[in-house]
Amino acid sequence: MMEKYRRNQSLVKGLAVDTPQMRAAVNLVMAVKDGLAPDTKNLNILADAFLEVFGGKNPKEIFGGTLGLVPTLGRQANYGFTPSDIVSAVIEIERRKLGNVRGAVSEAKKIAIKKFIDINGENAMRTVERDWRKGKAMVSALSDADLIELVRPYKY
């Protein structure tokens, strides 16, 4: 069978680094897309590369990018709600019940400590403060109905 080549790899977006491993990955994907059998040489290159990654080597050193195999900084958008979001939602619900008065946020935090079975001890207020810092921006934009729906699955 005659070897085939692709002159332009512009179909593969994000190919910023030209390494033998990335070329092998592109060739594999293009062969599968074209309904062809992948080249054994490309498969061996990829197998060796992934063995190194699974052995602990940073994918950036091999592929020139993380390929989604290295955790990124910050929370990913598709991870759902965090415990901080739930605590902040309860605080926001209580703050809204108390109204727009002085000390409402502080009082709502104290109520939240009493409402959560897994927030207790001498560091309870510190935990609530940390959760509020992380989640207040997200919950402040939600309606009352959204907040209630958000915390509903977490009721004990």
Side-chain angles (χ1 to χ4, degrees):
M1 181 175 182
M2 183 192 294
E3 287 186 83
K4 293 189 177 189
Y5 299 93
R6 184 175 298 276
R7 183 172 168 269
N8 186 346
Q9 292 184 342
S10 64
L11 293 174
V12 183
K13 308 294 186 217
L15 182 61
V17 179
D18 187 23
T19 65
Q21 294 83 1
M22 282 304 291
R23 282 193 304 275
V26 168
N27 290 334
L28 170 68
V29 170
M30 292 301 158
V32 170
K33 181 147 178 61
D34 293 342
L36 303 172
D39 182 33
T40 306
K41 182 181 175 187
N42 287 328
L43 292 176
N44 287 330
I45 290 171
L46 286 173
D48 292 341
F50 277 102
L51 283 173
E52 288 184 65
V53 170
F54 298 147
K57 193 166 185 180
N58 190 329
K60 280 187 174 184
E61 295 175 34
I62 300 168
F63 292 100
T66 64
L67 301 178
L69 298 171
V70 177
T72 57
L73 295 176
R75 181 172 140 241
Q76 301 301 301
N78 59 344
Y79 279 16
F81 297 111
T82 66
S84 294
D85 294 334
I86 304 308
V87 171
S88 295
V90 169
I91 293 169
E92 183 67 14
I93 289 169
E94 295 303 321
R95 186 198 64 77
R96 290 179 186 182
K97 284 180 188 175
L98 294 169
N100 197 9
V101 297
R102 185 180 181 128
V105 174
S106 297
E107 188 60 32
K109 290 175 186 175
K110 291 175 189 171
I111 294 169
I113 290 172
K114 295 175 187 170
K115 288 195 172 207
F116 282 92
I117 61 167
D118 50 355
I119 297 178
N120 50 39
E122 61 187 53
N123 292 325
M125 184 54 82
R126 202 165 108 198
T127 301
V128 168
E129 293 283 349
R130 181 197 65 226
D131 289 342
W132 179 245
R133 256 192 329 275
K134 290 181 178 180
K136 69 181 173 184
M138 191 270 294
V139 299
S140 65
L142 298 176
S143 69
D144 292 346
D146 288 339
L147 289 169
I148 291 167
E149 189 59 29
L150 175 64
V151 299
R152 187 179 53 78
Y154 297 90
K155 285 187 179 174
Y156 184 68

